[in-house]
Amino acid sequence: MINGERTIQRPMRWGMVGGGRTGQVGYKHRTGALRDGTYQLVAGAFDLDAERGRDFGTNLGVAEDRCYATYQDLIAGEKDREDGVDVVSVATPNFTHFEITKALLEAGIHVICEKPLFFTVEECEVVAKLAAEKNLIVGVTYGFTGHPLVHQMAAMVAKGMLGDIRIVDMQYTHGFNAGDDTDAGEAVKWRTNPATAGNTFVLGDIGTHLYYLSEVVLPHLKVEKLLCDRTAFIPSRAPLEDHATVLMHYDNGARGRLWVSSVDAGNMGSQKYRFVGSKASVTWSDSRPDQLIYQVQGEPEQIMHHGMPYLEDESLAADRMGALHTEGLGDSWSNIYLWIAQAIDAKMRGDEEFLKTHHYPGIEAGTEGVRWLENCVRSADAGAAWIDFE
Ligand code: NAI
């Protein structure tokens, strides 16, 4: 169980690029990072509007001279300070991730970057190489995968409780973009423009969460083939999609089905996962994160609750509240931040043994998300054709 006691040698001196007052995701980073004392927010280039960013940063308690106008200023100001940042989170629109991450790594600073990590697998490989050369960690904030019951599903699959995996069924849909973009805010504008979003909209924006979570639960399965059918119901968003269906064939013969949409009118953004094996299945949704439905063929359905002693150790190790007290997304994010901090801490101590078995979403997970997107686009562009997963 996680109870706030320190598990690393000292708190990370932490900075942020983006995630300013008007940003959607910034507060999730701060709730995740600041909760256990594993990170201390000491610097930032929080906003494209430098003045607003400075005002915001000082309101968060960051010293005025460490609220920078740009990420380049942040790097220049922090690089040679004795108490300079150890790690910086990048919570800016997609098109800036690669350039900012690269610059931070070159300056010797660990990075925690938003998803989708970069535009291409090639960029991911450049950064992976750079991080390895510099001996630095890159973490990726797939923030939903800290939920304890996600790790319960993974442990149950690993123990063979479901049997051989046959069916993977996933959905992440909402209706917030069901109307057109006439009065769209900044966050929708950059998400629907290929120059700022990359080669996908909802696949990258929400589909990568589904894909990474399935990798956590089913680490032994690899996608061999996929078929992606995508469309823009609001024509101004083309060539990017606001709705997509992806079928996948896994290397053990399992079949996957996934749909993502931001035009699912009336849906409030739920994620649903169902993993079906030859003996039993598990179903979990982020809208009921405390409950896992376990169905064994021929037996009454069971509902498992987080924090209960009958759960697997991997799930209990990620639990914060204990049974009876609800878990939430903040808890999941806190776990992601904690696991990345432990990776950085191990890097700093030169503890490569620890890193061999320590699990956190890192450069490989970010790369796999981008690889999956590239394959989806290739399939969709070929007329929703089956393609070999590359
Ligand atoms: P947003 O448009 O709401 O906010 C972006 C923020 O970054 C703003 O504060 C803006 O002023 C600032 N900014 C932009 N360019 C900058 C630069 N060059 N230097 C410094 N600050 C800069 O965007 P949102 O929705 O917060 O998304 C940001 C990233 O987070 C995206 O990559 C998105 O995919 C990801 N995201 C991830 C979520 C998750 O669950 N992991 C949830 C929501 C977004």
Side-chain angles (χ1 to χ4, degrees):
M1 183 152 182
I2 294 166
N3 62 5
E5 265 185 287
R6 194 166 289 160
T7 57
I8 61 176
Q9 55 185 350
R10 64 164 174 79
M12 299 292 147
R13 292 186 295 271
W14 180 51
M16 288 191 79
V17 178
R21 184 173 288 146
T22 59
Q24 291 187 47
V25 81
Y27 184 59
K28 295 185 187 71
H29 286 259
R30 289 185 288 277
T31 47
L34 300 176
R35 195 162 173 195
D36 294 330
T38 36
Y39 297 82
Q40 288 170 346
L41 184 59
V42 295
F46 295 101
D47 204 309
L48 266 182
D49 178 330
E51 207 31 64
R52 189 171 57 187
R54 183 164 293 113
D55 186 52
F56 181 66
T58 52
N59 272 338
L60 291 176
V62 176
E64 197 169 349
D65 64 332
R66 296 177 84 177
C67 291
Y68 300 94
T70 64
Y71 79 85
Q72 292 94 335
D73 291 348
L74 180 145
I75 291 171
E78 294 293 315
K79 202 158 74 89
D80 299 320
R81 282 180 77 114
E82 253 190 24
D83 63 349
V85 287
D86 299 304
V87 52
V88 168
S89 289
V90 181
T92 53
N94 303 351
F95 74 105
T96 62
H97 294 176
F98 178 62
E99 154 193 324
I100 299 175
T101 298
K102 212 157 138 286
L104 288 164
L105 292 173
E106 274 158 2
I109 298 167
H110 300 277
V111 179
I112 297 172
C113 186
E114 266 303 344
K115 43 49 58 182
L117 187 55
F118 308 130
F119 278 10
T120 64
V121 168
E122 208 181 332
E123 288 173 344
C124 295
E125 286 168 354
V126 168
V127 164
K129 187 163 171 279
L130 179 61
E133 277 163 19
K134 295 277 188 179
N135 205 27
L136 294 168
I137 293 288
V138 176
V140 182
T141 43
Y142 289 123
F144 297 97
T145 52
H147 281 296
L149 289 180
V150 170
H151 298 273
Q152 174 68 15
M153 290 192 284
M156 289 169 78
V157 168
K159 274 180 89 176
M161 289 172 72
L162 308 193
D164 297 330
I165 298 300
R166 291 175 171 166
I167 303 165
V168 179
D169 193 18
M170 305 185 277
Q171 171 185 348
Y172 189 176
T173 62
H174 63 80
F176 285 100
N177 305 116
D180 69 23
D181 293 337
T182 315
D183 300 317
E186 274 311 303
V188 172
K189 281 197 189 127
W190 72 251
R191 278 177 166 80
T192 51
N193 176 355
T196 46
N199 53 5
T200 63
F201 170 24
V202 288
L203 284 161
D205 204 39
I206 51 183
T208 46
H209 285 297
L210 295 172
Y211 186 65
Y212 177 64
L213 193 144
S214 71
E215 287 187 298
V216 170
V217 175
L218 309 168
H220 58 299
L221 294 198
K222 298 286 165 246
V223 175
E224 259 183 4
K225 280 180 183 296
L226 66 71
L227 177 157
C228 174
D229 176 36
R230 64 173 181 162
T231 191
F233 280 103
I234 305 299
S236 63
R237 295 176 189 148
L240 303 189
E241 76 293 340
D242 51 26
H243 177 91
T245 309
V246 184
L247 299 180
M248 292 180 282
H249 287 183
Y250 292 87
D251 56 357
N252 72 334
R255 296 296 196 252
R257 174 181 76 162
L258 166 165
W259 72 295
V260 282
S261 183
S262 68
V263 296
D264 183 9
N267 190 317
M268 286 306 292
S270 59
Q271 293 172 44
K272 293 186 187 125
Y273 299 85
R274 183 167 168 80
F275 301 101
V276 182
S278 49
K279 295 195 277 203
S281 51
V282 281
T283 305
W284 180 82
S285 167
D286 70 322
S287 60
R288 290 199 155 190
D290 294 347
Q291 296 187 347
L292 178 64
I293 300 171
Y294 176 41
Q295 296 165 306
V296 182
Q297 180 57 33
E299 292 183 18
E301 175 174 300
Q302 296 179 47
I303 297 180
M304 300 175 140
H305 288 259
H306 87 91
M308 292 297 285
Y310 52 70
L311 297 176
E312 303 299 320
D313 290 346
E314 293 86 338
S315 178
L316 294 173
D319 208 274
R320 285 174 176 266
M321 296 296 147
L324 264 194
H325 300 276
T326 56
E327 294 281 348
L329 181 57
D331 304 299
S332 178
W333 273 77
S334 301
N335 290 349
I336 296 295
Y337 260 91
L338 176 63
W339 296 335
I340 296 173
Q342 287 167 336
I344 297 170
D345 176 67
K347 254 301 173 213
M348 287 171 163
R349 290 184 290 103
D351 190 349
E352 292 299 325
E353 274 311 299
F354 175 83
L355 286 168
K356 270 187 202 153
T357 54
H358 181 58
H359 189 80
Y360 67 98
I363 183 73
E364 302 84 8
T367 304
E368 287 315 306
V370 175
R371 190 187 311 285
W372 182 76
L373 290 178
E374 283 189 354
N375 278 274
C376 286
V377 170
R378 213 158 41 82
S379 163
D381 289 355
W386 279 105
I387 53 149
D388 289 337
F389 192 79
E390 285 174 359

